[in-house]
Amino acid sequence: MKKFNIRKVLDGLTAVSSPSSSPQTGAKENDFIIPETLQSEHFQLCKTVRHGFPYQPSSMAFDPVQKILAIGTQSGALRLFGRPGVECYCQHESGAAVIQLQFLINEGALVSALADDSIHLWNLRQKRPAVLHSLKFNRERITFCHLPFQSKWLYVGTERGNIHIVNVESFTLSGYTIMWNKAIELSSKAHPGPVVHISDNPMDEGKLIIGFESGIVVLWDLKSKKADYRYTYDEAIHSVAWHHEGKQFICSHSDGTLTIWNIKSPAKPAQTITPHGKQPKDGKKPEPCKPILKVEYKTTRAGDPYMILSGGLSYDTVGRRPCLTVMHGKSTAVLEMDYPIVDFLTLCETPYPNDFQEPYAVVVLLEKDLVVIDLAQNGYPIFENPYPLTIHESPVTCCEYVADCPVDLIPALYSVGSRQKRQGYSKKEWPISGGNWGQGTQSYPEIIITGHADGSVKFWDASAIMLQVLYKLKTAKVFEKTRSKEEKPNTEIVDEDPFAIQLMSWCPDSRMLCVAGVSAHVIIYRFSKQEITTEVVQLLEVRLQYELNDLESPEGGGYQTPAPPTPSTSPSPQTSGPQTHHSTSSNSSDGIRDNVPCLKVRNSPLKQSPGYQVELVVQLVWVSGEPPQQISSLAINSSYGLVVFGNTNGLAVVDYLQKTVLLNLSTVELYGSNDPYQRQPRSPRKSRQPSGGLCDINEGSATSEDRCKSPTSGNLSFSSVLNGCFTSFCFLPTVLLSVCPPRAALPLDNRDNSFSRSRSSSVTSIDKEAREAITSFYFCETYTRKTDSTLTPALWVGTSLGTVLSISLSMPPAGEQRLLQPVIVSPSGTLVRLKGSILRMAFLDATGSFLPPPSELWYEPNAPANGEERERVRKRRPVSVSPSTSQELNEHQYAVVCSEKQAKVIALPSQTCIFKHNITETSFVLRTDVVQTVPGICVACFCANGHIMTLSLPGLRPLLDVNYLPLTDMRIARTFCFTNLGQAMYLTSPTEIQRITYSQDVCENLQEMLGELFTPVETPEAPNRGFFKGLFGGGAQSLDREELFGETGAGKASRSLAQHIPGPGGIEGMKGAASGIVGDLARARIALDERGQKLSEVEERTAAMMASADSFSKHAHEVPS
């Protein structure tokens, strides 16, 4: 255990371990030892789990025995889903798009084909799947793959129209190749185009059907190496599907038609169907429709077969949503989807293609959703999706992550959220049910909160590396809806998403929630289990707009002293009228907007369901034609009943119990007469603020360079950017995260191409800037002045110029007096200065233990006046003290202050800096938090150059420094959160949350916590051929593929065609893959493979020995006798 003797440090007798971490002189009162329990070996960084919908999906596969679903994406990611809570993320190193996936059914393996013409074999029998083999094609582009059930030979079709065959065990090419010219011969004068389909006849493995894009289909006899039949149609083919008896197949075409062919009648289709075409009366061909991109043909014992297809709609259905069509007997159902269809799969009872399929569900992969349709129920209802795939339902604008929260919180949120669920889902169990949950011991509750562009806030249960939505709050309900564009008020300061959540502050103990929106509004919510109707939504309007020339003439309207509340003020929102800074006029006679908020609060009664209910709305108003600046910092404290928020102009303190504004000051006025900066007046901004940068789920317009630019690099200083559009880029304490800046905010030439470019210290340009943004807050019980001997309530304020100021709070007695007597709020001056904008503040007691802000325990606010709940005394939680309680505990405190550049530890009440650490010289910190880990407390930082660091407390020794995300972007900067117990998270794509840990303990236990994808399951028995079929030669015909495709029968393939790349698993990985009930065959194969390897090694050694002997013989003859 490392110990710091403060006196020795101050006397210069010892040095702090880091050269950039330096002790400061002074602070004679700190004459005791502070133990530091944290060491560098307590920290390790690794990814834990990824949640959410796979971003930009491109392909899909399903194992019908294991019941595992795999989804590939355009960025080379693989997401595997089993039963709810079992999911896994893998990534192909190349990052190329996954064009096709094929399971080795019930073998615990998966083949992926990529757009860079490589194929890979994944071992799924380990908790973190790994690539066993890769094969990179050099001369041909891969277009389609097919792996027959229980076969080890993979057919690979190419753009040139050829088919190559790969042994999936050794990942080597067979010498057997089907060349396009041999397949079509003289049936066509032109090249048939790429291979778009390959499959073997369900009843005869020796017959292979090959679909070429141009419209030619070939039935190839593998044994005789020639085509049996060729089927020609004058429309391009998109997909082909077999009837299970192997006598018919169906093709889907680019003109919206389906053609059904008898295999022995190649002259013309047995039937041509245009599912969505209008049938002319004169017998002519129906009008062409959009292409049918895929068709599946599934049979049932009891009734008609199912034909399921995507696309094929008529061209005159403009504006119609994408559809999946289910044709069953004489009925045709058209199922509309919310997004374009990427792929679909029909789930069937049997894995055998030569048996009745008995389809029971359809999995539809959409661009932004995953839908599973129940085929067995009338009306084809969808299954309720248990996966957390709705993170992006509205684009995420900010996040919050709380670990080790009160144990009753998740049940409380679940109970109110369960009432919000939709009805009408299928009654059956979710069909993707493979895998097993992990056996982890981590049991503390974790909650993730996401704020969204539509004003919604979602609470998620994130315990034990799972994710499940608990409750959704819609903040937009508080405001009037704009019914049309003509009615849109011209007071809005953003062009779109006016309700978007920008910041959140949450108190888990009291369950109080405060959100700040992009339209300069703040809403305070209280949690209740009872439904109420609020007749009038309580509203405060605040003029928070300051220019320096206004400050010289107070009558200019910049600052208003709030009137003290009258004794008749009722705290009940149901009965009292709103106490506001009432606007005398919305627009003055010359049309200049003044005293009007950006949004209109609804004036009709508001029915509030159990859950979060509006307590108070605070809105910043226009001042003399200038719109209010967006809110850059926010904090709520349930113990004091206060909310504070700030922006580039100043801050406002609101008493949400008495519904009154206590303080409304510019940043300049906070300094009083001690303002150290020479500020120049600025002209008012009258322009609207573009809102595009909140988030863009498509992200199609941003280049990779744009996404990695610093908001403040180039020629602009940080404070000048804050004055403009980047107000919202302030990163805030505890539960705050800001919104991404508007895309159109800065010309590109003013931003550098690197997000990690060093920006000049804000201090160098202070005298040029009139505005100083408020960037962080912290409520505490501390020593406000150097002479204080007792702890008093205070609010610490951090600014964009690196200053920390203090505001003292004088609270009335608790109980009824708290609602009648005013809270006295008085600025107390500057405490400390750091380089860069202040991001985070926290407090430690004399033993170095964390002191959380004081908070109140939750109580039911809508309980009857005479009920037991009302009788409970509202307890204020005392400031936490360390276990080693002593009389001297309240005599000392430490304040921890972190900025974009450095961290300082300040001794209180002396206000002496005792430790300082320069976190980064060449970059800047995006997010920092003071977090509790199992061994102790530390500072965690995430820098713009991608480094994640931890520092000990109070000594600020560097413990961890990992270059985790070297190429970061604004979304990650906006959503990165640290929390207690070594957990962190960020939005890795617009639809996915990535969770990471920086705790060695969690890393070591992670393997146990992860779920198992592969579980030993017996493969179903093959269908019975029946007596007569066996007697007369009917039923499925088998094929000895080994004899046909092996080296003995087919020879060796050209080495230049493809390059074999062994994966990290190799034969050891295959050994792992071969465990379990169904692994006997695989084990035998591996034994043969190993034997083959050993034989080849013996062969090579024998050859080498013979060569050596030959050489020796030559030399022996040359030696003169």
Side-chain angles (χ1 to χ4, degrees), residues 491-502:
T491 55
E492 290 185 10
I493 58 172
V494 291
D495 296 324
E496 55 189 42
D497 296 328
F499 309 116
I501 305 297
Q502 204 166 8

Side-chain angles (χ1 to χ4, degrees), residues 852-873:
S855 61
E856 179 182 78
L857 294 178
W858 178 78
Y859 66 96
E860 175 54 65
N862 300 317
N866 56 354
E868 289 180 23
E869 192 80 31
R870 283 283 188 197
E871 298 302 314
R872 259 180 53 193
V873 179

Side-chain angles (χ1 to χ4, degrees), residues 18 42 64 105 194-195 335 465 487 505 518 574 591 604 621 649 688 721 822 851 897 936 971 1020 1052 1069 1085 1111:
S18 167
H42 290 128
I105 293 171
V195 175
L335 310 174
I465 69 169
E487 291 182 40
S505 179
V518 75
Q574 290 101 306
S604 56
V621 295
N649 292 321
R688 287 162 62 85
V721 174
L851 289 173
V897 184
R971 185 196 327 102
K1052 287 188 176 180
R1085 288 173 183 166
S1111 169

